[in-house]
């Protein structure tokens, strides 16, 4: 997917399909939350003079280092980078969308309460059994 809008929409739809998630708009930014905590920052809907399209996820594994290899990616501001948050520009050469969705799921698992992760795991098991 070369259109960043389509990639962003795919990430949003996937994030909202995870257990106990909802969309919110703090500070005018689009975010996806689980249990009142953000696990995916999607920013504002269109670029401005001061804002370029990007997304933010919390990564702990080798995915953190991989995400930082995307051109323009950097540890997230406001001290979030110290906690593993990475901001990745949509208009860079991004990895395959499947990998981006893996990053969204990893961020979700880092933030979600145990009951929500159990629901996700049982959904995955049900799909594997079919």
């Amino acid at each position: 997917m070369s259109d960043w809008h389509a990639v962003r929409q795919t990430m949003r739809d996937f994030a909202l399909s995870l257990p106990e998630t909802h969309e919110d708009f703090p500070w005018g930014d689009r975010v996806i939350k689980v249990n009142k905590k953000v696990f995916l920052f999607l920013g504002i809907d269109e670029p401005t003079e001061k804002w370029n399209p990007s997304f933010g996820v919390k990564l702990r594994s080798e995915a953190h280092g991989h995400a930082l290899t995307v051109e323009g990616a950097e540890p997230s501001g406001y001290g979030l980078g110290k906690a593993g948050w990475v901001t990745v520009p949509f208009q860079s050469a991004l990895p395959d969308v499947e990998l981006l969705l893996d990053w969204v799921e990893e961020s979700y698992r880092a933030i979600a309460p145990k009951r929500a992760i159990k629901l996700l795991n049982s959904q995955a098991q049900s799909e594997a059994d079919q």
Side-chain angles (χ1 to χ4, degrees):
M1 288 187 202
S2 59
D3 177 29
W4 71 268
H5 289 96
V7 172
R8 184 175 186 258
Q9 186 65 40
T10 299
M11 292 174 72
R12 177 186 172 273
D13 292 346
F14 175 75
L16 288 170
S17 76
L18 299 171
E20 300 183 16
T21 60
H22 66 278
E23 191 169 54
D24 198 4
F25 298 89
W27 324 286
D29 291 345
R30 183 180 301 271
V31 301
I32 311 298
K33 294 181 174 181
V34 59
N35 199 32
K36 300 182 183 179
K37 294 183 179 180
V38 176
F39 71 95
L40 175 62
F41 287 93
L42 290 170
I44 59 176
D45 291 340
E46 292 297 329
T48 67
E49 289 180 17
K50 296 181 179 181
W51 181 83
N52 289 315
S54 64
F55 67 92
V57 286
K58 183 173 184 171
L59 302 172
R60 294 182 175 167
S61 67
E62 64 274 357
H64 183 268
H66 188 201
L68 288 172
T69 66
V70 174
E71 184 180 337
E74 60 188 7
S76 299
Y78 305 103
L80 294 172
K82 293 177 184 175
W85 285 90
V86 178
T87 300
V88 180
F90 275 115
Q91 295 176 317
S92 292
L94 294 172
D96 290 339
V97 74
E98 290 303 318
L99 181 59
L100 299 178
L101 299 182
D102 287 347
W103 292 353
V104 171
E105 184 175 333
E106 181 174 331
S107 187
Y108 172 86
R109 288 178 179 277
I111 301 296
K114 290 179 182 177
R115 73 176 179 279
I117 293 172
K118 281 184 179 181
L119 283 171
L120 179 61
N121 291 341
S122 64
Q123 285 176 358
Q125 185 60 48
S126 293
E127 290 173 10
D129 290 344
Q130 292 179 356

